[in-house]
Structures are given as C-alpha cells and as structure tokens.
Amino acid sequence: MANGGPVEHGYPHLRTVRESVTALYRRLSYDTVRTFSASVAPADVAFADVDDLHLGAQRVAREMVAHYRLPDARLVVGFREMTHAANVELTAGPEYFVELNDRFRDHRRDIGAALAHEVAHVYLHRLGLSFPSTRENEILTDTVATYLGAGWLLLDAFREDGASSQKLGYLTPEEFGYVLAKRALLFGEDPSVWFTSPQAYTAYRDGLALARRDAEQPPLRAAGWSGRLRYARDRRHAQGHAGAPEAGRETAYRFSAGGHGPLRVSFPCPTCHQRIRVPVAGRVRARCGLCRSVLECDT
C-alpha cells in the first residue's frame, strides 16, 4: 500500500501479469472464466461513513465471497495497525480471518478494494493456483481479482495529487488498467463509468491502449504497416536460415522449422497469452485451444 509515498507507474510486472492470465485460463478453463462476466457492482460494496464499521465490513466481505463463488467460506474481518493494507490467514477453512489496516476506519469506501484482493487470495488458495515467489503470487492475486471482475475497485482506490497519494495492490495503476481493459474487451463492458478517481480513469485509458496493441501485432492481420514490414523482413531471414528463429528481441513472434517440415511461426494469443504455432503459409485462421479465440493471421 502506497500511503502518501511515491507511486510506481508503467509496466514493470507486465510479463508476470500475462503469465497470470494464462495460468488462470489453464486452471479454470474458458467456460469457468465466462461465468465471471458480471463485475462487482458499485452499489454492492458501497460503504457510507454513517454505516457501522464492523457490520459494514462483514457485509462487503460477504459480497466478495459470493462474487468469487465461495458459498461455504466465512470471513471474519478485524482492524489493526499494520504496514500493509490487509492480510488474510489462509487455512483449510471454512472460516478465514482478515485483518485490515486501521486507516480503513476512516477510508471506508476503499474497504471493498482491500477485500477484493484478500478474498482473491482465498479463492486462489482453494484452487491450488500459485507462483513460486511471494511477489509473483501477489501479482497473480491482483491480476486474477481484476480479470474476474473485482479488481476495478483496486484501481479506483488509486488517488494521487501534488500533496498526497494512495494506491492499493502490487500492480501499478497502468497494469491494473491493462488487466481491466483485457477483461473489458472480452466481455464488452466499460468499467470506467464506475470510477470515482480521475487518476484511475487515466490509468485505465493507458492500459486499454496497450491491450488493444496486443491484438495489432504480427502475424495478426490487424497489425499495422510498420509491424508487417518488420515481420516480412524477419520471415525472409528465417526462410534463408533454416531453423534459425530470427525475430528481433523486441518482437513476440518466433520462427522455427521442425525437421524437414514447413517453416512455422509462434506468437502469443492476444486474449490469454498462450503461445500459438501455425505454418508460414499466407492467410490462415488460428483458434486458441485455451481461450477459444479465433485469430485472423497473415503469416
């Protein structure tokens, strides 16, 4: 939690974010991801200053439990002085103890954001989905919370001006915007109408631009002319050097030749980021086996 201190911007965790989306699809399946088409509604987690602190926190916790399809889980929410925004004790359940930073006593509208992250921890714990390091796990948790419709609250909790700042979660605001945009493009929603923070809206627009660029990279047919020219150059090099994957390091596609077979190109799916491998054979239509996206390619 950044509370008055500097807020990191940009995309320093983008690789782990994309790996998190892939891991989520692999663990849940396309059909289960689609059941999260409805985001947490602002009214369901609204918290007025006149509401009872503990009763209100328990009500929001129940909403999060319901959103993540954890009907047998019970959260007990308390408050104490701590460095981080919140903490959850991951046990066998069904009861989980969540501690929130004392600052939320006076910033109640952000309790939903803190609980979105902590209940996502419980959800991933039950799924048995985790990454090796603590930091990667936290990035995974933020990504899953956002992709499954609760993490827009984490982005909306970002506020920054010349005198103060606040940010919850481990992703940067732009990375939250990127994952939220991925979800928005998948389900056709516009989460920006829910933002109360102007800085959240700016970060979302930045992330949306990057998410759209994912679908405009060669060999996808929607790629721009400069990308197509670079792709053609790399393809000629690969055809003249059998088996040599000669896409520049700045490109996501890679060429390869399997034995005496035709030249092939692999590239990340713009939806789930699983790598797809197709023959270099002009215009082809590829279907991602993980997220079922149908991709028009010019290889």
Side-chain angles (χ1 to χ4, degrees), residues 35-296:
T35 65
F36 286 88
S37 59
S39 292
V40 173
D44 292 339
V45 293
F47 206 131
D49 289 339
V50 296
D51 292 344
D52 180 272
L53 176 65
H54 293 279
L55 292 178
Q58 291 296 150
R59 172 183 58 80
V60 175
R62 287 194 296 272
E63 290 291 344
M64 288 298 168
V65 166
H67 178 76
Y68 285 107
R69 307 340 187 232
L70 298 169
D72 59 333
R74 298 190 301 274
L75 266 66
V76 179
V77 182
F79 297 82
R80 71 174 176 87
E81 289 187 14
M82 57 197 305
T83 303
H84 298 292
N87 180 65
V88 62
E89 182 181 341
L90 295 176
T91 62
E95 197 166 70
Y96 300 89
F97 293 90
V98 177
E99 295 176 314
L100 300 182
N101 192 299
D102 263 341
R103 78 184 309 271
F104 290 114
R105 293 177 182 270
D106 300 318
H107 296 78
R108 299 183 182 187
R109 69 172 180 171
D110 296 325
I111 285 178
L115 289 175
H117 179 93
E118 299 309 318
V119 181
H121 268 304
V122 175
Y123 182 68
L124 292 171
H125 175 69
R126 289 195 170 190
L127 286 178
L129 177 57
S130 64
F131 280 175
S133 74
T134 299
R135 187 163 187 81
E136 288 175 326
N137 246 348
E138 296 292 354
I139 294 170
L140 169 68
T141 303
D142 276 344
T143 302
V144 168
T146 305
Y147 203 84
L148 295 186
W152 70 266
L153 291 159
L154 286 157
L155 178 55
D156 194 41
F158 165 54
R159 290 180 283 278
E160 187 176 38
D161 56 38
S164 63
S165 65
Q166 174 185 278
K167 186 188 77 68
L168 304 182
Y170 288 74
L171 301 185
T172 68
E174 292 78 16
E175 288 168 341
F176 272 121
Y178 173 77
V179 181
L180 193 56
K182 285 288 191 181
R183 172 185 169 79
L185 293 172
L186 178 68
F187 291 114
E189 66 181 11
D190 180 11
S192 65
V193 299
W194 304 323
F195 294 146
T196 61
S197 164
Q199 293 80 23
Y201 181 82
T202 301
Y204 172 68
R205 301 307 299 182
D206 193 298
L208 179 59
L210 180 59
R212 284 174 171 161
R213 287 198 295 273
D214 284 350
E216 298 171 351
Q217 300 301 312
L220 298 174
R221 286 175 59 184
W225 69 269
S226 60
R228 296 298 311 163
L229 287 175
R230 181 179 58 190
Y231 178 85
R233 178 200 65 202
D234 293 334
R235 181 179 57 199
R236 286 194 300 270
H237 182 94
Q239 289 169 334
H241 300 76
E246 184 53 31
R249 289 187 178 181
E250 74 280 4
T251 64
Y253 54 82
R254 296 290 182 269
F255 293 102
S256 63
H260 299 290
L263 187 69
R264 291 178 176 270
V265 62
S266 67
F267 59 96
C269 170
T271 300
C272 69
H273 302 289
Q274 174 174 260
R275 294 196 73 83
I276 298 171
R277 192 164 176 257
V278 296
V280 175
R283 291 192 173 186
V284 297
R285 177 175 291 176
R287 179 184 173 94
C288 178
L290 190 58
C291 70
R292 303 186 188 177
S293 295
V294 177
L295 308 171
E296 299 290 342

